[in-house]
Amino acid sequence: MGRVSAQERREGVIRAAVAEFARTGYHGTSTAAIAKRVGVTQPYLFRLFPDKKAIFVAALVRSMEDTRLAFERAAEGAEGGEGVLQAMTNAYAQLISTSPETLLMQMQGYVAVAAAEAQGDDLIGEIVRAGWMRIWETVHQPLGADADKTASFFACGMLGNALTAIGLPASAWK
């Protein structure tokens, strides 16, 4: 095997960080756990990222972008309003069933917004709000820019998120 580039190592750190932060949140996750998961030293983490917060932000951005891309890809291959709606619903269900850490990382991000803003730090809130708006637009346009359809889509999705996060299988609420 050849050497791993800094960019590839950075991607590995972000994926490891998503998995770790998704499980234990910002305050419950140590950089040692992230380093161990990815197979690097803590000092190496800090050559790639200036601090723990930067790692958290990168993980949060990645999880939101993975979600946005799942919707975008699903909409590209679908036809008609109901077809697009069903394709995006199926794509999201697939994403959170195969990569639940993507959902859980975003939920950790939502919690982190309130905690950070209570301490005067708006960065995480700005990132979450911008990411949310990108996801909204990615869904909204293929649904014919219909605000009610888009809101309904996200309302059902957030219900699914909450139930998934607490461990209820889809069969329990469908």
Side-chain angles (χ1 to χ4, degrees), residues 1-167:
M1 289 201 120
R3 285 186 54 142
V4 176
S5 72
Q7 184 58 33
E8 291 169 320
R9 189 65 78 184
R10 182 178 168 80
E11 289 300 314
V13 168
I14 293 169
R15 293 288 177 197
V18 167
E20 291 296 326
F21 286 127
R23 289 183 322 108
T24 54
Y26 181 77
H27 294 291
T29 299
S30 69
T31 55
I34 296 167
K36 182 178 179 182
R37 180 179 280 267
V38 78
V40 299
T41 64
Q42 273 184 288
Y44 189 78
L45 282 182
F46 295 114
R47 280 198 243 146
L48 299 172
F49 297 92
D51 55 26
K52 179 180 172 181
K53 182 178 172 183
I55 299 169
F56 183 80
V57 165
L60 185 54
V61 167
R62 172 56 47 79
S63 68
M64 296 184 90
E65 183 62 6
D66 286 350
T67 300
R68 191 195 69 71
L69 287 171
F71 290 139
E72 182 177 84
R73 289 182 194 118
E76 285 173 357
E79 302 228 359
E82 284 305 310
V84 169
L85 182 66
Q86 193 59 53
M88 288 191 296
T89 299
N90 293 344
Y92 188 65
Q94 176 72 18
L95 176 67
I96 65 173
S97 69
T98 60
S99 301
E101 66 278 4
T102 300
L103 161 64
L104 297 174
M105 180 67 220
Q106 287 175 55
M107 294 183 98
Q108 293 289 355
Y110 303 154
V111 170
V113 170
E117 288 183 350
Q119 296 180 358
D121 181 353
D122 294 333
L123 176 64
I124 294 172
E126 291 168 7
I127 288 166
V128 168
R129 286 184 287 273
W132 175 257
M133 291 309 300
R134 283 190 300 275
I135 293 170
W136 173 275
E137 283 302 317
T138 299
V139 169
H140 187 60
Q141 293 308 315
L143 293 179
D146 183 315
D148 290 337
K149 279 185 183 176
T150 307
S152 178
F153 177 82
F154 280 106
C156 291
M158 291 305 272
L159 173 61
N161 289 351
L163 297 175
T164 298
I166 64 171

